[in-house]
Amino acid sequence: MSTETALATAKAGEIDDGKDVPNMSLLDITEGDNERGIPKAKFIDDVEAFSSTFEPPASPELLIGACSDLMNKYRNYEAQLQQRQLRLKQKVPELEKSLSLVRTLLEKQGSPDSTTGMARYSLADNIFAQAELDYENNNTVNLWLGANVMLEFTYQEALDFLSQNQERAKKEMEDAISDLAFVRDQIVTSEVTMSRVFNW
């Protein structure tokens, strides 16, 4: 068989031994996506009827291979979402702490009784230093944005910026929790489908 003929038969979904192989993709065992593009696993009630929808009918090996690919995809989604959820669980309390601090500075600035004060700040893990704060003559705060970037904001700008970040982080947290539950449901559906194919 020439190279061109081999390529033509491969494109037509055939292998060299002359047997036909159905053209199957993950789209055949999924039905739509959720809001963030995670595919929904198709529940296959009758494996034989599903197999017959392909021309030629799909073999158990092919169906198991497709289900295994989908399962691996869901396991990757699950790992990524768990990492994201963990990161956001740390981020939300940090934002709340920063917001609380900026609100306190803003209140002290407007109070005629408080002109100076002392604060402790973290230099490194478990190492703190003291600083004297001048509430009367200072109206800016530096916020650490990450990636070696720190910006100076007025108290009100910092409050607005941190509030927006907090709302966004809470929304992302809700989405991550929802997506994780969705992915776990799809894993269960895929496992049931695989067991049905094994028993077919």
Side-chain angles (χ1 to χ4, degrees):
M1 182 183 283
S2 70
T3 308
E4 291 173 5
T5 312
L7 285 172
T9 55
K11 285 180 185 172
E14 299 174 357
I15 54 175
D16 287 341
D17 63 2
K19 292 180 182 173
D20 288 339
V21 176
N23 188 8
M24 180 183 266
S25 72
L26 290 181
L27 294 175
D28 296 317
I29 55 172
T30 59
E31 50 186 4
D33 299 334
N34 76 347
E35 300 85 29
R36 282 160 294 283
I38 300 173
K40 182 179 181 186
K42 188 182 284 185
F43 179 75
I44 300 170
D45 191 28
D46 186 346
V47 178
E48 190 166 354
F50 178 73
S51 167
S52 301
T53 61
F54 298 93
E55 189 56 46
S59 66
E61 294 81 11
L62 191 63
L63 290 172
I64 288 168
C67 289
S68 294
D69 286 348
L70 187 62
M71 184 73 80
N72 289 338
K73 196 172 185 177
Y74 285 135
R75 294 287 183 207
N76 286 337
Y77 278 130
E78 185 181 34
Q80 289 171 3
L81 287 165
Q82 284 173 334
Q83 288 173 357
R84 188 175 190 190
Q85 191 177 13
L86 191 63
R87 192 178 70 247
L88 288 166
K89 272 184 181 174
Q90 294 169 345
K91 186 177 182 179
V92 170
E94 285 175 10
L95 285 167
E96 286 171 355
K97 242 197 290 187
S98 298
L99 267 169
S100 173
L101 178 64
V102 172
R103 284 191 188 108
T104 303
L105 289 171
L106 204 53
E107 287 168 14
K108 296 279 188 183
Q109 186 187 31
S111 170
D113 302 335
S114 305
T115 55
T116 61
M118 296 297 288
R120 283 188 311 149
Y121 61 95
S122 175
L123 285 175
D125 289 341
N126 300 322
I127 300 175
F128 292 86
Q130 275 195 333
E132 188 175 335
L133 302 176
D134 184 0
Y135 300 123
E136 214 172 23
N137 300 317
N138 188 26
N139 67 343
T140 61
V141 64
N142 293 313
L143 294 181
W144 180 259
L145 303 180
N148 295 328
V149 176
M150 183 179 275
L151 285 179
E152 186 177 63
F153 293 89
T154 64
Y155 292 156
Q156 192 56 52
E157 287 172 343
L159 201 60
D160 295 342
F161 178 76
L162 290 169
S163 297
Q164 286 174 1
N165 281 0
Q166 184 189 35
E167 285 172 24
R168 191 180 312 119
K170 283 183 176 178
K171 174 76 170 72
E172 285 176 11
M173 180 69 131
E174 288 170 12
D175 290 346
I177 291 168
S178 168
D179 285 348
L180 198 53
F182 177 80
V183 165
R184 286 179 177 155
D185 285 346
Q186 304 321 302
I187 287 172
V188 170
T189 302
S190 299
E191 285 172 344
V192 169
T193 298
M194 280 184 80
S195 67
R196 283 176 182 271
V197 174
F198 275 117
N199 293 329
W200 175 42

